[in-house]
Structures are given as structure tokens and as C-alpha cells.
């Protein structure tokens, strides 16, 4: 067995998670990477540095998927956990099927917590470990036409801060990365390519990943990527939810790209 440290990273098939996996590989971590599609190409690219990479295909919206991912560690110590898997869902709430919006909650909230709890118990028992959770600035904004998603990220942003506080004397740190709109598969998968935000220029996932990875190494509680996003979070503390909901409508309403 390798004597390198181990990082377990979810949502590593593309976007922000894939970039975080590259940073972890560059820092010499062995990797267990997970997504709900096979990760063959991503895993091969990461292995170039001579580290061990194990890829796991698992639907992290389900307890069985989370269990399969944990089983892949084969009892090996997890030094870094990056709970990044998640997805959005555009359109009005009344136009979304129950299966669609439940999958957002089951992935972004339930699956994330099912993974975090056992890993955190092990880390706390050892008195060390680092956890990076991908929240979002969306958690600060009432998300018209992405209502369930923004609500899920409000949960994650708040939850990360709360458990970070609960564990403050444990030797384990919790960092919440809060990206703004980032150029990944996110908007296509959420069915939002005909929206203003879907068509807008976005942040580079490599830059976003670096912000999160560095903040995690420094043990910061949370980090918002980019000045514009920091300004949006600040403004959300002053504006009413009705106002941020109206602003969000302009960006996320289906067809808004053409207005
Ligand atoms: P992405 O390119 O679509 O990547 C999402 C990753 O999560 C993929 O690897 C995907 O795997 C995985 N995933 C989604 N649902 C899953 C499930 N049920 N089980 C297992 N894996 C699942 O999008 P991204 O932007 O990098 O998203 C990464 C995180 O950043 C998410 O938590 C997202 O909410 C958050 N975020 C994104 C933005 C943005 O604008 N892009 C902004 C703020 C926060 P498959 O490809 O195999 O499905």
C-alpha cells in the first residue's frame, strides 16, 4: 500500500471537481475520484504523476452509491475529503418533475451528508483531516427558476459553517468553496443554456478549484471565488430576498438569453 496521503474527491469527472483532482494529484495525494459516469479518461490523465488513482462510478444521490464509494477506500485513511458532486435544475418549480427536484436534494444535500458523517467521525477520532465542500454563492440568493438548487446550496453553505464550528477544536477543518457562475457542464445539465446566466461569460473552473484548494489547505472556513461574486454576496446581505429573487429571474428565466 502507498504511504502517500489519500484524497477522496466527488464530482471529479468534469468541471471544478476535475480541476481539484488535478491539484490534489500535483500535491502528491493518491486519489479516489467519483462521479455517476465512468471516469476512465479523467483517471488516466491524473495517474501521470505516478500516484495511485481509483475511480468509482456511483450515484451519490443514493445511500447505496455513497456506501460503494466508502467501500472503495478499503479501510484506508482519508486525509482530504472534497465533497463537490452536485447539480442544478433550471425552469420553474411547477414545471419540474418530482424525480428531477428530488435528485437535486438527494445529491446536493442527502448524499453529501451521508458521505461527510462517517468520514468526519474517522477524522475527528484521529484528530486531523481536511474537508472541502462545494457550496455556492447561490446559497445567498433566492433562486427564481433554480429554486430547489439555490435552496440546496443555502443548506450546504449554512451546514458547512455550522459543522466547522462544532469541530473547531477537533483538528479537522471544514472549508466551504462558494463559486459563482463557472464554465462547466453545470448549465447544460441543468437545462439552462437558453438563460442569460447560461450564455454569460463565466469563471474558469481551474481558477475556482485553486481558490478552494488553497483555502482548504489554509483551513479557512469559507471562500468566495472572485471579486464580482464577493460583491454579490455582500449585496445579498443588504437586499431583501424578494429583490434577489427578482434579480435572479432576469438571469435564470427560460428564454432570458434572448431578452
Ligand atoms: P459539472 O461539470 O457538471 O460537474 C458536476 C460533477 O458532479 C460531475 O462530476 C458529476 O458527475 C457529479 N455529479 C452530479 N450529480 C451526481 C450524482 N448524483 N452522483 C455522483 N456524481 C454526481 O459542474 P460543476 O460546476 O463542476 O459542479 C461542481 C460543484 O460546483 C457542484 O456542487 C455545483 O453545484 C457547484 N457549483 C457550480 C457552479 C457553476 O456555475 N458551475 C457555481 C457554484 C457552485 P457526472 O458527470 O458523472 O454526472
Amino acid at each position: 500500500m502507498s504511504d502517500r496521503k489519500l484524497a477522496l474527491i466527488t464530482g471529479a469527472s468534469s468541471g471544478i471537481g476535475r480541476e481539484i483532482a488535478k491539484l490534489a494529484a500535483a500535491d502528491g495525494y493518491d486519489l479516489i475520484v467519483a462521479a455517476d459516469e465512468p471516469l476512465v479518461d479523467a483517471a488516466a490523465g491524473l495517474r501521470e504523476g505516478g500516484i495511485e488513482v481509483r475511480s468509482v462510478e456511483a450515484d451519490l444521490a443514493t445511500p447505496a452509491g455513497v456506501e460503494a464509494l466508502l467501500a472503495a477506500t478499503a479501510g484506508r485513511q482519508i486525509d482530504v475529503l472534497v465533497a463537490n458532486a452536485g447539480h442544478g435544475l433550471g425552469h420553474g418549480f411547477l414545471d419540474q418533475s418530482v424525480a428531477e427536484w428530488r435528485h437535486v436534494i438527494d445529491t446536493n444535500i442527502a448524499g453529501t451528508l451521508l458521505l461527510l458523517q462517517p468520514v468526519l467521525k474517522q477524522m475527528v477520532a484521529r484528530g486531523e483531516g481536511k474537508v472541502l465542500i462545494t457550496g455556492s454563492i447561490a446559497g445567498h440568493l433566492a433562486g427564481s427558476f433554480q429554486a430547489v438548487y439555490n435552496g440546496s446550496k443555502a443548506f450546504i453553505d449554512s451546514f458547512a459553517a455550522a459543522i466547522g464550528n462544532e469541530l473547531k477544536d477537533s483538528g479537522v477543518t471544514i472549508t466551504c468553496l462558494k463559486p459563482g457562475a463557472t464554465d462547466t457542464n453545470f448549465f447544460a445539465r441543468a437545462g439552462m443554456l437558453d438563460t442569460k446566466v447560461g450564455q454569460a461569460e463565466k469563471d474558469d473552473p481551474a481558477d475556482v478549484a485553486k481558490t478552494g484548494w488553497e483555502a482548504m489547505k489554509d483551513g479557512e472556513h469559507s471562500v468566495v471565488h472572485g471579486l464580482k461574486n464577493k460583491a454579490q454576496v455582500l449585496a445579498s446581505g443588504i437586499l431583501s430576498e424578494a429583490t434577489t429573487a427578482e434579480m435572479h429571474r432576469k438571469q435564470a428565466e427560460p428564454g432570458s438569453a434572448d431578452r
Side-chain angles (χ1 to χ4, degrees), residues 83 104 144 160 189 197 209 213 251:
V104 174
S144 325
R189 184 169 183 172
V197 63
W213 185 251
Q251 291 293 319

Side-chain angles (χ1 to χ4, degrees), residues 205-228:
D207 296 338
V208 175
K210 194 162 188 330
T211 296
W213 185 251
E214 293 301 325
M216 181 205 75
K217 287 203 282 190
D218 292 344
E220 287 177 37
H221 298 302
S222 81
V223 62
V224 177
H225 175 78
L227 266 184
K228 201 172 134 217

Side-chain angles (χ1 to χ4, degrees), residues 11-16 35-37 58-61 84-87 103 107 134-136 149 153 179-182 184-187 189:
S13 62
S14 66
I16 298 167
D36 63 0
E37 299 286 334
D59 182 357
L60 300 175
N84 164 77
H87 69 91
H103 201 264
T107 301
T134 307
S136 176
Y149 173 75
K153 289 298 177 177
T182 306
T184 67
N185 293 339
F186 179 92
F187 292 95
R189 184 169 183 172

Side-chain angles (χ1 to χ4, degrees), residues 1-6 30 52 72-77:
M1 195 196 286
S2 154
D3 57 5
R4 279 179 290 265
K5 292 195 169 192
L6 177 68
D30 284 338
E52 286 179 13
T73 64
R76 195 171 156 190
Q77 174 176 313

